[in-house]
Amino acid sequence: MADPAAKQQERLAALLQEGRTFPPPEEFRRQANIRDVKVYEEAQRDLEGFWGAQAERLDWFKRWDKALEWNAPWAKWFVGGKLNAAYNCVDRHARSERRNKAAILWEGEPGDSRVLTFGMLEREVNRFANALKSLGVKKGDRVAIYLGMVPELAIALLACAKIGAPHSVVFGGFSAESLRERIQDAKAKILITGDGAWRRGNVVPLKHHADEAIQGAPSIEHVVVVERVGKAAHAAMKEGRDFWWHELVAQASDQCDPEAMDAEDLLYILYTSGTTGKPKGVVHTTAGYLLGVSTTHRMIFDIKENDVYWCTADIGWVTGHSYIVYGPLANGCTTLMYEGSPDYPDRDRFWSIVAKYGVNVLYTAPTAIRTFMRWGAEWPAKHDLSSLRLLGTVGEPINPEAWIWYHENIGHERCPIVDTWWQTETGMILISPLPGLTATKPGSATRPFPGIEAEVLDERGRRVGPGAGGYLVLTRPWPAMFRTIYGDPDRYVNQYWSRYEGKYFTGDGAKVDEDGYFWLLGRVDDVMNVAGHRISTYEVESALVDHSAVAEAAVIAKAHDVKGQAIAAFVTLKEGVQPTEELKAGLKQHVANKIGAIARPEDIFFTPELPKTRSAKIMRRLLRDIAEGRVLGDTTTLADPAVISKLKQQYEEEGKGE
Ligand code: WTA
């Protein structure tokens, strides 16, 4: 009898055979929101008509005059229209039959939970919007938010939107220094944080980080603190500057008129890593963004009135902004928020949540799926997952093995999978199956969404043929596209729109197959993707050279089974510094302190010299070859080819930098 592992391998190979596709199950197709393939053709023919028709689903205080004004690379959508994002996400539902429907289902890590109906959410948002006003926040003022995944995080976003104060959410895992940098760039007036956050039963000291960040961030006038952890957080409040959230809202009225925002008014800023050390403030505006995220959410996740929808991302990232808060709530959909880690208290936490709330649509990341694979199928098998009818993934390319595992062990071969490609900059999903229409292929994000036009180009801007790799670009504007980089319009133009005149350069490699399906191949720039998080090599390098022992550092991403990529750093020490194991550990911690734990290098490797070209450019490509154990690529441009061969030998002898 063949052993089970070999059998499994054989079956997988058969499933993944060239050309194997997964058409929508008949039962799913029949009930799907989008069943007619004409949607692609219609949007292609009349882009403004397509989005204009979708825009009727939003509530407008004043109708727009013109759907699109496009002077590449500058876009204006729904010119002349007036609306409010929070009104669309909350108030209008609270005034309808949805009043007593769950808007947010919240599950705390320690096991506590909270349900906010649309009616309750409206009152909470209004109270906090009034609290912000009482602290002097006016339309246009920026508000920084640094919180764990508590309901107040969603409430804070919506309260900002209600009064027209753009928010800038900073992921709660970032360091004080990263927070400060972002506060300073946006010149935020208010910081909303927590006493602490729960993570695997431990306390993340948010307030301590916040206090440290504010030193040197004079724009902050007040700090609002959500009490989550209590005494264990040891948070200190500064008289006159700091206020408890619960005390502020206790005094605030639950009535608040929405600010009538211009379609193009700033909704939020979200910082992301680019190809320099300095994070970029990606700017999203009101109408186009809300329309883009709500339309894609409804069509791609096939949302039905009574669905429970769960996106497992953190609201600190764009996925949480678009597909936990704005998209679902604009659609009047019940959105689930989970505070903690997937292995707390045990490795079946996600599956117990799916069973507890009867989750219908689950949206998560390949890195999570690979982790679950490693933990074993027995964990999901313990729970009733029969409520699930659709699965999604985002954040990085999904390897076919993980896709099949997800399909079999979570979807029980019944749920279509939507592999969704998009970016902080794009605001909304741009390449994805429509689950009632598209036959999927494991590992492919399939086709551009209706109205989206994507191409794969070579260096010189020519379209490459089927199966050949190239650069992914977008050639037509879309409503949720970012409008600029905050305070740096030149960077917007140069970085995204100049490589190919008038086309948006995504920074991703891709290929298109014979059926017109897109296969994403990862970043082609110096952005790494570690467990679905964007980190620039330069950020980590600057953090390393900031350490007193370091002379020079080169950082690369190397392939990693679970995280997709892991950070490896090649470090040259200053004269006289000893390359010890303690120093390695110290450097890793230093990077974590400077940026956040997500940027902690997996490997650090000490080397007397780094491979450089004659013009002194570090050849990261060769370092990647070394770290991934490949034969070295072309070394002819090196100033001293001996450096790299010595380095390779040393790396192999020392056992991969560990
Ligand atoms: C990568 C996250 C392959 C890609 C929404 C992109 C993906 C970067 C996919 C954006 C996918 C995201 N397949 N790669 N389905 N989704 N990516 O800004 O490299 O955090 O450029 O936005 O993630 O990351 P960001």
Side-chain angles (χ1 to χ4, degrees):
M1 216 173 87
D3 76 285
K7 249 173 110 180
Q8 163 75 9
Q9 271 305 318
E10 214 173 279
R11 207 168 41 93
L12 189 60
L15 277 170
L16 296 177
Q17 245 177 39
E18 195 69 51
R20 171 70 207 259
T21 61
F22 293 76
E26 183 52 29
E27 201 185 327
F28 189 95
R29 199 189 57 75
R30 258 188 278 124
Q31 60 80 61
N33 289 349
I34 307 298
R35 262 169 299 190
D36 191 347
V37 71
K38 276 208 263 344
V39 63
Y40 287 100
E41 201 186 294
E42 281 164 16
Q44 166 73 22
R45 202 179 48 238
D46 179 10
L47 188 68
E48 292 177 45
F50 172 74
W51 287 112
Q54 299 305 322
E56 304 287 353
R57 306 179 80 92
L58 296 179
D59 266 34
W60 298 80
F61 300 141
K62 179 178 171 284
R63 211 188 143 81
W64 63 94
D65 305 315
K66 198 167 183 312
L68 171 65
E69 249 177 53
W70 176 232
N71 301 302
W74 308 106
K76 284 187 181 161
W77 283 89
F78 303 99
V79 182
K82 290 208 182 285
L83 76 172
N84 182 285
Y87 181 89
N88 273 279
C89 289
V90 185
D91 307 37
R92 64 166 172 158
H93 307 307
R95 289 161 199 197
S96 76
E97 283 173 4
R98 292 188 180 124
R99 180 163 189 81
N100 297 320
K101 171 177 172 176
I104 297 177
L105 296 172
W106 177 79
E107 168 93 357
E109 193 187 75
D112 46 346
S113 60
R114 216 172 133 185
V115 178
L116 287 162
T117 63
F118 280 100
M120 291 157 81
L121 184 60
E122 182 188 31
R123 291 194 295 276
E124 295 295 331
V125 168
N126 287 350
R127 283 203 187 97
F128 192 63
N130 287 323
L132 287 174
K133 282 190 196 168
S134 74
L135 296 177
V137 180
K138 297 195 178 59
K139 178 176 172 179
D141 288 341
R142 274 83 55 214
V143 174
I145 304 177
Y146 181 65
L147 271 171
M149 283 286 283
V150 288
E152 288 82 356
L153 175 52
I155 294 167
L157 263 64
L158 295 161
C160 287
K162 187 105 193 219
I163 62 173
H167 52 76
S168 166
V169 180
V170 179
F171 172 57
F174 273 124
S175 67
E177 193 166 323
S178 298
L179 173 60
R180 180 190 304 135
E181 203 177 6
R182 287 159 176 78
I183 290 174
Q184 282 173 323
D185 189 79
K187 297 195 181 57
K189 190 165 172 178
I190 300 284
L191 173 62
I192 303 165
T193 188
D195 55 353
W198 289 119
R199 192 73 191 168
R200 289 199 178 88
N202 298 317
V203 177
V204 182
L206 292 178
K207 182 62 165 60
H208 290 276
H209 294 165
D211 287 338
E212 197 184 325
I214 299 171
Q215 291 170 18
S219 62
I220 294 291
E221 294 173 9
H222 292 293
V223 181
V224 182
V225 186
V226 175
E227 185 174 37
R228 170 62 183 141
V229 170
K231 284 203 183 68
H234 303 291
M237 299 291 280
K238 190 170 165 186
E239 184 73 36
R241 185 195 70 181
D242 301 351
F243 297 91
W244 288 109
W245 172 295
H246 57 271
E247 289 179 4
L248 286 177
V249 297
Q251 298 157 13
S253 149
D254 62 6
Q255 301 292 313
C256 175
D257 285 336
E259 194 67 42
M261 303 298 284
D262 206 86
E264 280 297 325
D265 273 339
L266 181 52
L267 178 62
Y268 70 79
I269 307 168
L270 184 60
Y271 288 84
T272 188
S273 293
T275 52
T276 70
K278 195 174 170 295
K280 303 176 281 200
V282 168
V283 164
H284 284 294
T285 58
T286 307
Y289 175 79
L290 197 64
L291 176 66
V293 298
S294 56
T295 305
T296 46
H297 180 259
R298 190 176 60 82
M299 293 190 179
I300 294 169
F301 297 111
D302 192 50
I303 295 303
K304 301 291 192 290
E305 189 59 49
N306 292 320
D307 274 346
V308 173
Y309 159 88
W310 182 21
C311 166
T312 68
D314 190 292
I315 295 176
W317 310 107
V318 75
T319 306
H321 281 62
S322 298
Y323 297 108
I324 295 177
V325 181
Y326 288 111
L329 293 178
N331 288 330
C333 168
T334 301
T335 183
L336 194 148
M337 266 176 92
Y338 169 53
E339 179 180 38
S341 153
D343 57 354
Y344 191 87
D346 229 326
R347 291 175 164 180
D348 57 348
R349 186 64 186 271
F350 272 25
W351 319 120
S352 81
I353 292 175
V354 168
K356 174 175 172 184
Y357 293 96
V359 172
N360 304 109
V361 180
L362 175 70
Y363 190 29
T364 192
T367 186
I369 297 166
R370 289 190 298 264
T371 305
F372 299 138
M373 267 174 92
R374 178 175 273 199
W375 289 345
E378 62 272 24
W379 295 100
K382 286 195 214 173
H383 298 273
D384 176 7
L385 306 183
S386 61
S387 58
L388 289 171
R389 58 182 196 86
L390 178 64
L391 305 174
T393 84
V394 60
E396 50 178 319
I398 182 164
N399 46 313
E401 294 75 14
W403 195 102
I404 295 289
W405 190 91
Y406 198 29
H407 175 67
E408 293 183 343
N409 295 285
I410 308 302
H412 295 157
E413 299 179 38
R414 172 189 78 239
C415 306
I417 296 180
V418 289
D419 173 359
T420 64
W421 176 89
W422 59 296
Q423 306 177 305
T424 307
E425 293 88 338
T426 71
M428 64 188 239
I429 297 167
L430 294 189
I431 304 181
S432 164
L434 289 177
L437 279 178
T438 317
T440 53
K441 301 184 190 183
S444 168
T446 75
R447 300 180 59 179
F449 189 77
I452 305 301
E453 226 168 64
E455 290 176 354
V456 178
L457 305 179
D458 67 11
E459 288 287 347
R460 292 166 56 190
R462 293 171 306 202
R463 275 177 102 135
V464 301
Y471 300 108
L472 180 68
V473 302
L474 304 163
T475 60
R476 273 177 124 181
W478 62 98
M481 66 194 280
F482 69 141
R483 301 299 196 259
T484 189
I485 295 299
Y486 193 72
D488 199 351
D490 289 347
R491 202 167 166 196
Y492 173 75
V493 177
N494 296 334
Q495 204 154 322
Y496 296 100
W497 297 93
S498 300
R499 183 136 173 181
Y500 303 108
E501 187 66 36
K503 295 180 178 178
Y504 171 79
F505 178 66
T506 61
D508 276 2
K511 62 180 185 182
V512 182
D513 68 15
E514 272 86 11
D515 298 327
Y517 277 40
F518 285 71
W519 299 75
L520 278 302
L521 303 173
R523 302 288 305 195
V524 294
D525 52 13
D526 296 309
V527 173
M528 302 179 282
N529 190 329
V530 180
H533 301 319
R534 262 170 84 164
I535 303 164
S536 114
T537 55
Y538 295 104
E539 279 174 274
V540 181
E541 285 172 7
S542 334
L544 284 167
V545 296
D546 168 81
H547 191 283
S548 60
V550 175
E552 207 176 15
V555 164
I556 55 140
K558 63 175 213 177
H560 188 280
D561 283 351
V562 174
K563 299 181 193 171
Q565 293 190 322
I567 302 174
F570 292 79
V571 171
T572 309
L573 296 172
K574 286 190 183 148
E575 281 289 318
V577 178
Q578 288 308 308
T580 62
E581 286 305 310
E582 290 72 54
L583 181 57
K584 249 183 216 179
L587 289 178
K588 289 182 186 178
Q589 190 53 40
H590 181 71
V591 175
N593 293 345
K594 292 278 292 183
I595 305 175
I598 54 166
R600 183 195 300 271
E602 175 106 352
D603 291 343
I604 289 191
F605 186 76
F606 294 126
T607 169
E609 262 181 287
L610 290 168
K612 290 180 185 161
T613 63
R614 279 172 219 107
S615 55
K617 246 184 96 178
I618 297 172
M619 297 277 287
R620 290 193 182 72
R621 170 173 63 75
L622 295 175
L623 294 175
R624 269 195 295 271
D625 289 343
I626 291 183
E628 293 181 347
R630 269 192 304 272
V631 178
L632 290 177
D634 184 8
T635 59
T636 52
T637 56
L638 286 174
D640 179 4
V643 170
I644 192 81
S645 40
K646 252 202 312 217
L647 188 59
K648 185 169 167 62
Q649 196 186 353
Q650 190 193 343
Y651 190 86
E652 281 158 9
E653 278 165 12
E654 286 185 27
K656 304 190 165 39
E658 273 308 297

